[in-house]
Amino acid sequence: MLNRLPADERRAQLIESALAIAEQRGVASVTVRAVAEEAGVSLGVVHYCFESKEALLAAMGQALVLQLSESLRVAFGQVRHAPQLVGVTGLRELLHIGLSAMWPILEETPDRQLLTYEITALSLRHRAGGAQHAGEIANEQYRIMDDEAAGFFEECARMAKVRWLEPVESVSRFALAVLDGLVLRWLVDRDGEAMIAALDDLVRVVADKATEA
């Protein structure tokens, strides 16, 4: 007999089942039937929780955004344990601590990172087709990443006693755009050494956007 879970727990279970399918076989493989089989429930249960496949895909995107946000928060939080580092040189060290802490998380979850790009691209396709709600997934993904990154850069500047030469929102947008490209390139060639070297370059470029307070 099927265990009766609260609606929010059942939705979370179905979303994770859908993400598991997408990681293994791609987003195109996510169907209501496949999710039902993966979760061990009836088709009716999936239809009850999600009115359409598009609604399920939107929920998957939201779940990925929340997971990504938590990963960023954990990585960037490493700077709070750093020794006292001041000036632009200190800022560079703090940036290196936070950005380097992201690398093991990325390296351990390549399929999840690839899925994030797939969901973003799918969201943009839906938006181009007029499905505004599904299209908001990409906007929300980048809004959350921008917020987490801006908070990180503000904290680093405060700790190092420096100030940014341009709005911190511009700094975070630039850094995340570069990081996006670096991760995508790594997913292609899996060259970890090149990725680490590129992160070092990114740290230097971003630190040059600050000056002594």
Side-chain angles (χ1 to χ4, degrees):
M1 182 175 173
L2 181 66
N3 292 329
R4 295 188 179 277
L5 295 176
D8 57 343
E9 292 184 26
R10 180 64 74 192
R11 280 177 58 87
Q13 177 203 25
L14 295 176
I15 291 168
E16 278 303 314
S17 295
L19 289 173
I21 294 169
E23 278 190 280
Q24 295 165 12
R25 305 194 295 272
V27 177
S29 298
V30 177
T31 64
V32 171
R33 182 175 299 279
V35 171
E37 292 176 354
E38 178 75 18
V41 301
S42 67
L43 290 174
V45 169
V46 182
H47 283 298
Y48 176 79
C49 293
F50 300 99
E51 60 184 18
S52 64
K53 178 180 176 179
E54 287 69 28
L56 174 58
L57 291 173
M60 291 167 61
Q62 290 167 356
L64 283 175
V65 167
L66 292 175
Q67 292 171 12
L68 179 61
S69 175
E70 180 60 27
S71 295
L72 290 174
R73 192 173 297 119
V74 169
F76 292 160
Q78 298 301 310
V79 299
R80 299 189 183 94
H81 309 296
Q84 186 174 9
L85 298 164
V86 297
V88 174
T89 300
L91 174 67
R92 190 176 293 116
E93 291 296 321
L94 291 171
L95 294 175
H96 187 271
I97 290 170
L99 291 176
S100 294
M102 291 186 62
W103 172 236
I105 298 173
L106 298 173
E107 191 175 33
E108 291 169 7
T109 58
D111 293 337
R112 187 58 55 107
Q113 303 309 317
L114 178 58
L115 181 55
T116 300
Y117 284 101
E118 285 190 75
I119 292 289
T120 301
L122 185 63
S123 169
L124 295 176
R125 287 192 180 279
H126 279 306
R127 187 174 69 184
Q132 195 60 34
H133 174 67
E136 286 299 317
I137 296 171
N139 287 339
E140 182 70 1
Q141 176 184 349
Y142 280 86
R143 183 191 67 77
I144 289 177
M145 289 194 301
D146 283 343
D147 287 347
E148 294 291 346
F152 166 65
F153 290 126
E154 284 181 338
E155 178 72 4
C156 288
R158 184 194 64 78
M159 293 176 66
K161 297 180 172 57
V162 301
R163 64 180 178 84
W164 295 108
L165 295 170
E166 56 190 77
V168 70
E169 293 80 11
S170 298
V171 176
S172 62
R173 181 185 178 93
F174 167 78
L176 287 174
V178 175
L179 188 60
D180 242 359
L182 292 178
V183 174
L184 185 57
R185 178 58 189 259
W186 174 76
L187 286 170
V188 172
D189 60 27
R190 302 299 171 95
D191 189 337
E193 291 185 3
M195 178 68 168
I196 293 171
L199 286 176
D200 288 340
D201 289 340
L202 176 58
V203 164
R204 286 195 295 272
V205 172
V206 172
D208 284 344
K209 296 177 179 291
T211 188
E212 305 290 337

